[in-house]
Amino acid sequence: MNTLKRIAVYCGSNPGLNSAHKVATLALGDDLARQGVGIVYGGGNVGLMGALADAALAAGGEVIGVIPASLMAKELGHGGVTQLHVVGTMHERKQLMVDLSDGFIALPGGFGTLDELFETLTWLQLGFHDKPVGLLNVGGFFDGLVDFIHHMCQTGFLKPEHEQCVLVESSHARLLERMRAFQPPQLGKWMEQMVQDAR
């Protein structure tokens, strides 16, 4: 079982058009706080990011924000979080979020959310970390993405064991259960096979 002391949550700086996304975000923030699981997130005070932080803080949870200085200058940083790390670049932001976290959950969002999600998955695939990565698929938001990940597997660009690394659930309670039970793929095995295939 994986001990999830802190989870990085990737989500939109916009609220989106479907109110169900905000409802799910508030429920996740509240429940993680009540379970004693800290949240690491992008440090913003707007959109789903702000809603997540506010819900967790209201329930007495630990919330750690990581935000680039350029966004702080636009007054987008959340002033009420437990800790707010101001970094120089997006690369530093993503690295620190990974370092501070025991697992990762993506909620609905845009390019930034997908960037964080796929970099985290790539690092898992390459063995740079062994932490679980989940998609909270609220209202089928990620259905098309899940289909495309399967397409990458079917066309030979992704190993089946790496497709299985993307934990997808519509319930955050079920997603957390699977994250706690997650076993990472064996890095050496698939890389050896990749070298053999290339010969």
Side-chain angles (χ1 to χ4, degrees):
M1 293 288 288
N2 296 302
T3 302
L4 302 176
K5 294 181 180 178
R6 288 179 182 151
I7 292 178
V9 181
Y10 304 136
C11 58
S13 57
N14 288 303
L17 300 177
N18 185 342
S19 61
H21 298 157
K22 184 175 180 180
V23 170
T25 300
L26 295 172
L28 177 64
D30 178 80
D31 197 30
L32 289 177
R34 293 182 189 281
Q35 292 185 41
V37 179
I39 290 173
V40 179
Y41 85 118
N45 60 14
V46 293
L48 295 188
M49 285 202 294
L52 174 78
D54 289 342
L57 291 167
E62 176 193 53
V63 179
I64 299 174
V66 185
I67 190 169
S70 60
L71 296 183
M72 277 297 290
K74 296 178 181 178
E75 299 183 353
L76 294 176
H78 196 304
V81 295
T82 311
Q83 297 178 48
L84 186 62
H85 297 273
V86 181
V87 297
T89 67
M90 290 292 286
H91 295 291
E92 291 177 74
R93 179 198 222 179
K94 289 183 284 187
Q95 181 67 67
L96 184 55
M97 290 178 73
V98 169
D99 291 344
L100 291 172
S101 305
D102 303 304
F104 312 90
I105 292 176
L107 290 167
F111 287 154
T113 299
L114 293 181
D115 172 51
E116 291 165 329
L117 168 67
F118 278 108
E119 186 153 341
T120 304
L121 281 169
T122 301
W123 292 0
L124 173 60
Q125 180 186 36
L126 296 176
F128 295 156
H129 73 78
D130 60 359
K131 304 168 186 179
V133 181
L135 290 179
L136 188 53
N137 193 21
V138 182
F141 179 83
F142 287 115
D143 283 354
L145 180 62
V146 172
D147 288 345
F148 188 73
I149 290 171
H150 184 64
H151 174 69
M152 288 192 288
C153 186
Q154 292 294 102
T155 52
F157 288 98
L158 189 67
K159 297 290 183 184
E161 58 265 37
H162 296 135
E163 181 183 12
Q164 297 305 311
C165 285
V166 187
L167 308 177
V168 185
E169 293 290 343
S170 58
S171 157
H172 76 255
R174 175 60 183 148
L175 182 58
L176 290 170
E177 286 178 11
R178 292 186 62 196
M179 290 174 69
R180 289 187 171 108
F182 174 73
Q183 295 294 322
Q186 295 182 4
L187 176 66
K189 181 180 177 182
W190 80 265
M191 290 196 76
E192 287 171 10
Q193 185 63 51
M194 186 173 66
V195 171
Q196 290 176 9
D197 291 346
R199 287 174 178 168

